[in-house]
Amino acid sequence: LKLSLINLAIWLLGFYFLFHSLLNLTAELLRFGDRSFYHSWWNANSIGEYWRLWNVPVHLWLKRHVYWPLIHRLGLSP
Protein backbone atom coordinates (compact mmCIF):
# COMPACT_ATOMS: atom_id res chain seq x y z
CA LEU A 1 0.00 0.00 0.00
CA LYS A 2 2.85 2.40 0.75
CA LEU A 3 4.38 1.76 -2.65
CA SER A 4 1.09 2.32 -4.47
CA LEU A 5 0.55 5.70 -2.81
CA ILE A 6 4.04 6.83 -3.77
CA ASN A 7 3.47 5.56 -7.31
CA LEU A 8 0.16 7.43 -7.52
CA ALA A 9 1.79 10.64 -6.29
CA ILE A 10 4.57 10.34 -8.88
CA TRP A 11 2.04 9.77 -11.69
CA LEU A 12 -0.06 12.74 -10.59
CA LEU A 13 2.98 15.01 -10.42
CA GLY A 14 4.10 13.75 -13.83
CA PHE A 15 0.73 14.44 -15.43
CA TYR A 16 0.58 17.87 -13.79
CA PHE A 17 4.07 18.73 -15.00
CA LEU A 18 3.46 17.49 -18.55
CA PHE A 19 -0.10 18.57 -19.27
CA HIS A 20 -0.48 21.65 -17.12
CA SER A 21 2.98 23.13 -16.88
CA LEU A 22 4.98 22.07 -19.92
CA LEU A 23 2.22 22.18 -22.53
CA ASN A 24 0.89 25.52 -21.25
CA LEU A 25 4.39 26.97 -21.34
CA THR A 26 4.83 25.70 -24.90
CA ALA A 27 1.47 27.19 -25.91
CA GLU A 28 2.41 30.57 -24.48
CA LEU A 29 5.81 30.58 -26.18
CA LEU A 30 4.27 29.65 -29.53
CA ARG A 31 1.39 32.12 -28.98
CA PHE A 32 -1.04 29.22 -29.40
CA GLY A 33 -2.69 30.09 -26.09
CA ASP A 34 -3.91 33.42 -27.50
CA ARG A 35 -6.50 31.78 -29.75
CA SER A 36 -10.07 32.88 -29.38
CA PHE A 37 -12.50 29.96 -29.39
CA TYR A 38 -15.74 31.88 -29.05
CA HIS A 39 -17.00 35.44 -28.98
CA SER A 40 -20.09 36.91 -27.34
CA TRP A 41 -22.60 34.73 -29.20
CA TRP A 42 -25.27 35.46 -26.58
CA ASN A 43 -25.52 39.03 -27.94
CA ALA A 44 -26.12 37.95 -31.55
CA ASN A 45 -28.88 39.79 -33.41
CA SER A 46 -29.33 37.24 -36.19
CA ILE A 47 -28.86 33.53 -36.76
CA GLY A 48 -26.00 34.25 -39.17
CA GLU A 49 -24.18 36.30 -36.58
CA TYR A 50 -24.77 33.58 -34.01
CA TRP A 51 -23.19 30.93 -36.26
CA ARG A 52 -20.15 33.15 -36.83
CA LEU A 53 -19.65 33.82 -33.12
CA TRP A 54 -20.56 30.63 -31.23
CA ASN A 55 -17.47 28.60 -32.12
CA VAL A 56 -14.81 30.43 -34.10
CA PRO A 57 -12.63 27.41 -35.08
CA VAL A 58 -15.67 25.50 -36.40
CA HIS A 59 -16.88 28.56 -38.31
CA LEU A 60 -13.46 29.11 -39.90
CA TRP A 61 -13.13 25.42 -40.81
CA LEU A 62 -16.58 25.35 -42.42
CA LYS A 63 -15.85 28.58 -44.27
CA ARG A 64 -12.51 27.28 -45.57
CA HIS A 65 -13.51 23.71 -46.45
CA VAL A 66 -17.19 23.98 -47.35
CA TYR A 67 -18.19 27.55 -48.24
CA TRP A 68 -15.23 28.68 -50.37
CA PRO A 69 -15.04 25.46 -52.44
CA LEU A 70 -18.76 25.75 -53.20
CA ILE A 71 -18.34 29.37 -54.27
CA HIS A 72 -15.10 29.12 -56.25
CA ARG A 73 -15.08 25.58 -57.65
CA LEU A 74 -18.77 25.04 -58.34
CA GLY A 75 -19.59 28.68 -59.11
CA LEU A 76 -22.54 28.91 -56.74
CA SER A 77 -23.66 32.35 -55.64
CA PRO A 78 -23.06 33.37 -52.05
Side-chain angles (χ1 to χ4, degrees), residues 24-71:
N24 280 336
L25 175 68
T26 305
E28 290 297 326
L29 292 175
L30 296 176
R31 299 183 58 86
F32 187 76
D34 295 339
R35 289 182 34 174
S36 175
F37 288 106
Y38 62 91
H39 295 290
S40 57
W41 51 267
W42 50 88
N43 292 330
N45 293 324
S46 67
I47 193 72
E49 186 180 5
Y50 168 78
W51 281 109
R52 282 190 301 276
L53 297 177
W54 77 276
N55 195 337
V56 176
V58 171
H59 169 71
L60 294 176
W61 186 89
L62 286 172
K63 187 175 178 182
R64 184 182 313 122
H65 295 286
V66 176
Y67 179 73
W68 287 115
L70 288 175
I71 300 300

Side-chain angles (χ1 to χ4, degrees), residues 1-13:
L1 186 61
K2 288 180 184 180
L3 187 58
S4 66
L5 291 176
I6 293 171
N7 192 18
L8 177 65
I10 290 172
W11 273 99
L12 289 175
L13 287 174

